[in-house]
Amino acid sequence: MNKQIRKMLLMILLVWLCILHVDINVSASDSNGKIVNTRHQKYTYTEMLNDINKISEKYPDYIHVSIIGKTVDNRNIHDIVLGNPEAPKCVMFQASAHAREYMCSQLVMRQIEYYLENYNKRYKGESYHDIFDKVCVHIVPMTNPDGVTLAQKGVNGLRSKSLRKKLKRMRGIGNPSNWKANARGVDINRQFDYKFPRGRSLNKYACYAGYGGPRPASERESKALLYVVNTYKPKATVSYHAMGNVVFHGYKCDKTTSKKMQRLTAKIKSITGYSYLYTEPGPGFANYINYKKHIPSTTVEIGMYTTPVPSSQFPTVWKQNKNVIAAVAQMYE
Ligand SMILES: [Zn+2]
């Protein structure tokens, strides 16, 4: 009898271990793609280029890539269209306008791969295929690739001698991992024509963060974002930043846009579990799009405690965000 019970307990334990093992494998392959590696800290511009190429080769029918700008240090800014590029509607996502927030690029690249891997699977009663067939998504996966390179590799990561020379005189260059601006020391999220230049600009001169530049959209990165907005007229825009686990909310724009914005932020809040952060007027991208373009827009801040967000937080960020793009697209069918 005792022997039998021991045998049964052993069997239960074995079955339980098997289930656990399968579970671990499933969740690991879920957040770490076959192409996009989410298990390391510094997701570089070059790595992203390789991933874009591999994903495009693997899923040529559902992904269309174009170059929407070239930075001063000669890197391309990409617009990846997920789904049907001829869809009657689209939404827009952009990531890593701020250099040190490069986990956002890793996140959107993995989101793209995940939807394509599961293209016929259902989300809220509808396949990803059907969602992105009706509403395509324009994704700018790394808005500020020069800045990202600078934050990851320091000033010597940049190609241009004259840029390096100028950068060496800028405040904050001693601690490049903290860099937010582009390679000219302009903060891309202080660059837009809403309450410019007073707004919330922290600095009057080119440096690591907070300088809005000589005039609105003077920078190629800002122009690239505006190109997507003006050309494709998205129904909503979402900007990924880090960190704070918050969704920016409470833009006091006109009534109609305000209502639409609240619908958008409520959806993202419900999926991610993030808190609302009430925003103040300033020359940020989401502000400009809400107030001047009357398109509902928000900023989502991923990760906790510190930037760059440590890679150990990626699995949590993934669970919170993996369906955000699909859910936002689905809102506008
Ligand atoms: Zn940011």
Side-chain angles (χ1 to χ4, degrees), residues 170-198:
M170 288 182 202
R171 195 154 65 84
I173 200 62
N175 183 14
S177 62
N178 199 36
W179 199 266
K180 290 173 82 175
N182 69 358
R184 284 170 19 101
V186 178
D187 190 323
I188 301 305
N189 211 31
R190 297 286 178 273
Q191 257 273 286
F192 295 92
D193 197 7
Y194 176 72
K195 305 222 167 180
F196 185 93
R198 297 177 311 278

Side-chain angles (χ1 to χ4, degrees), residues 294-315:
H294 310 290
I295 296 170
S297 297
T298 190
T299 294
V300 180
E301 303 267 0
I302 61 165
M304 289 290 280
Y305 311 125
T306 181
T307 44
V309 176
S311 122
S312 56
Q313 291 187 30
F314 191 87

Side-chain angles (χ1 to χ4, degrees), residues 91 93 131-132 135-137 324-333:
V91 293
F93 279 72
I131 297 172
F132 299 127
V135 182
C136 72
V137 189
V324 166
I325 292 180
V328 169
Q330 207 172 34
M331 285 177 72
Y332 298 94
E333 284 181 357

Side-chain angles (χ1 to χ4, degrees), residues 217-233:
S218 60
E219 304 308 293
R220 297 177 184 185
E221 296 83 353
S222 317
K223 286 189 175 95
L225 293 182
L226 292 179
Y227 171 81
V228 176
V229 174
N230 295 330
T231 310
Y232 303 106
K233 304 192 171 29

Side-chain angles (χ1 to χ4, degrees), residues 57-328:
E57 271 171 34
K58 198 168 172 186
Y59 307 100
D61 294 341
Y62 302 115
I63 191 159
H64 295 81
V65 183
S66 61
I67 291 163
I68 52 168
K70 204 175 252 308
T71 65
V72 287
D73 202 41
N74 212 20
R75 290 182 182 79
N76 289 333
I77 305 171
H78 297 84
D79 172 25
I80 302 177
V81 181
L82 172 65
N84 171 14
E86 306 292 320
K89 294 173 191 168
C90 72
V91 293
M92 174 188 179
F93 279 72
Q94 63 112 355
S96 305
H98 281 151
R100 67 187 188 192
E101 301 166 18
Y102 44 79
M103 184 187 275
C104 303
S105 300
Q106 208 169 16
L107 172 65
V108 296
M109 287 301 298
R110 178 60 195 133
Q111 282 166 312
I112 294 168
E113 186 188 10
Y114 173 78
Y115 298 133
L116 292 169
E117 278 172 348
N118 296 285
Y119 221 46
N120 291 315
K121 290 199 181 146
R122 282 169 180 272
Y123 173 70
K124 305 265 178 197
E126 196 179 14
S127 69
Y128 291 119
H129 175 281
D130 288 354
I131 297 172
F132 299 127
D133 196 49
K134 291 176 220 164
V135 182
C136 72
V137 189
H138 284 264
I139 299 155
V140 181
M142 193 180 279
T143 300
N144 178 11
D146 290 354
V148 168
T149 307
L150 179 56
Q152 292 173 338
K153 299 179 179 174
V155 88
N156 290 331
L158 296 185
R159 296 152 176 162
S160 153
K161 214 175 173 184
S162 73
L163 278 175
R164 290 202 301 266
K165 207 172 153 193
K166 284 178 195 158
L167 276 162
K168 280 176 185 164
R169 292 198 293 264
M170 288 182 202
R171 195 154 65 84
I173 200 62
N175 183 14
S177 62
N178 199 36
W179 199 266
K180 290 173 82 175
N182 69 358
R184 284 170 19 101
V186 178
D187 190 323
I188 301 305
N189 211 31
R190 297 286 178 273
Q191 257 273 286
F192 295 92
D193 197 7
Y194 176 72
K195 305 222 167 180
F196 185 93
R198 297 177 311 278
R200 291 165 62 204
S201 282
L202 299 167
N203 288 308
K204 288 183 176 159
Y205 304 102
C207 66
Y208 76 103
Y211 171 58
R215 61 190 175 278
S218 60
E219 304 308 293
R220 297 177 184 185
E221 296 83 353
S222 317
K223 286 189 175 95
L225 293 182
L226 292 179
Y227 171 81
V228 176
V229 174
N230 295 330
T231 310
Y232 303 106
K233 304 192 171 29
K235 291 288 169 196
T237 83
V238 178
S239 300
Y240 267 123
H241 283 252
M243 51 88 205
N245 284 2
V246 291
V247 184
F248 278 73
H249 181 73
Y251 303 87
K252 293 181 189 73
C253 34
D254 66 280
K255 252 189 182 171
T256 319
T257 315
S258 235
K259 245 186 174 170
K260 290 180 186 171
M261 181 278 301
Q262 281 170 19
R263 224 182 120 231
L264 174 69
T265 53
K267 173 61 84 180
I268 297 173
K269 182 179 189 278
S270 76
I271 291 170
T272 55
Y274 292 171
S275 314
Y276 280 147
L277 183 69
Y278 288 84
T279 181
E280 284 170 36
F285 180 69
N287 279 335
Y288 170 76
I289 301 298
N290 273 309
Y291 289 88
K292 290 283 184 86
K293 293 284 176 184
H294 310 290
I295 296 170
S297 297
T298 190
T299 294
V300 180
E301 303 267 0
I302 61 165
M304 289 290 280
Y305 311 125
T306 181
T307 44
V309 176
S311 122
S312 56
Q313 291 187 30
F314 191 87
T316 308
V317 168
W318 176 250
K319 268 185 216 151
Q320 294 160 334
N321 286 277
K322 75 173 180 183
N323 272 314
V324 166
I325 292 180
V328 169

